[in-house]
Amino acid sequence: MDSLVSGSSLPVDPSKLSDNDKKEIQQFVVNETQKARIQQSIHSLTDMCFRKCITSRISSGSLDRNEESCTQNCVDRYMDANHTILKKLEEMRTLG
Amino acid sequence: MSTFASSDPKTALMNQVRQEAAVQNARQLVEKLNEHCFERCIPKPGSSLSKGEETCFSQCMEKYMGAWNTVSRQYIGRIQKEAGSMGGTSL
């Protein structure tokens, strides 16, 4: 893992890239950033939902039916909560 | 890491970005696995890892990764559905 970080200079001299390449890379970075953000949300949702849904003693390697549906609900309710907050804030903004 | 040696600088750059994202993702998963499974399986650390603790650990890891997959499916399905209903801002 250190080898990735230690040679931290990029393998590319930007002046050698064509305008088309630059454009393509720019789009690529936008996409990768969004992917990373989504992946980050998945990590923190899993963290939270595991805590809430996998509460009994661990005696098997797979999720049982309750754990599975609890985890699905956990994600959906979190998203609902998120929307509720945004809606409420929007209300406060237009009223205030 | 032979992928970095790609002669095309653009491809090399993209590969490096992908690679670093994957490393970051794996590192985070390992960290969470350790955090959760240590808490669940080793409430009272003894002088060595017992057989039972080891079994618990491997089941806990599988369970956590199962939960990760479930969350991932559910979350991505949900944001795709919402993006669709908001007039097609694609992911």
Side-chain angles (χ1 to χ4, degrees):
Chain A
M1 230 166 252
D2 280 341
S3 65
L4 270 179
V5 182
S6 59
S8 70
S9 67
L10 292 170
V12 178
D13 177 359
S15 62
K16 288 202 185 109
L17 293 168
S18 70
D19 280 355
N20 256 344
D21 281 354
K22 281 184 194 161
K23 236 178 245 156
E24 199 182 322
I25 287 172
Q26 211 156 29
Q27 188 54 49
F28 171 78
V29 169
V30 169
N31 292 346
E32 286 297 311
T33 307
Q34 182 162 26
K35 262 196 252 171
R37 206 177 298 140
I38 290 172
Q39 211 124 52
Q40 194 52 51
S41 304
I42 294 173
H43 277 298
S44 72
L45 277 167
T46 308
D47 185 40
M48 196 166 49
C49 297
F50 190 86
R51 234 179 268 283
K52 284 188 192 290
C53 294
I54 288 83
T55 50
S56 56
R57 207 178 67 84
I58 291 170
S59 55
S60 108
S62 55
L63 294 176
D64 68 32
R65 200 187 308 207
N66 289 332
E67 292 167 341
E68 173 88 18
S69 74
C70 175
T71 306
Q72 290 170 342
N73 288 337
C74 175
V75 172
D76 274 326
R77 295 299 79 73
Y78 185 86
M79 299 294 282
D80 290 348
N82 193 20
H83 292 316
T84 308
I85 287 168
L86 290 177
K87 222 174 90 192
K88 183 75 192 158
L89 281 173
E90 178 61 19
E91 251 173 55
M92 287 163 80
R93 194 180 68 84
T94 49
L95 290 178
Chain B
M1 311 280 138
S2 57
T3 42
F4 291 167
S6 170
S7 53
D8 173 15
K10 185 191 72 192
T11 312
L13 180 69
M14 287 180 172
N15 281 341
Q16 180 167 355
V17 170
R18 282 196 195 99
Q19 181 92 20
E20 285 185 18
V23 168
Q24 179 56 32
N25 195 36
R27 188 180 293 169
Q28 187 139 22
L29 182 61
V30 170
E31 194 181 299
K32 286 293 168 202
L33 281 169
N34 214 335
E35 184 186 315
H36 280 281
C37 297
F38 188 82
E39 201 171 294
R40 297 296 293 271
C41 294
I42 307 171
K44 286 201 174 100
S47 57
S48 68
L49 213 56
S50 76
K51 208 91 215 107
E53 287 168 342
E54 251 175 72
T55 313
C56 174
F57 228 91
S58 80
Q59 286 176 337
C60 174
M61 283 172 69
E62 283 170 34
K63 234 188 226 284
Y64 195 85
M65 291 192 254
W68 201 95
N69 288 331
T70 301
V71 167
S72 173
R73 264 195 311 273
Q74 197 75 10
Y75 181 64
I76 288 171
R78 174 92 184 224
I79 51 183
Q80 270 168 354
K81 207 175 77 191
E82 283 171 6
S85 71
M86 297 220 314
T89 9
S90 76
L91 285 174

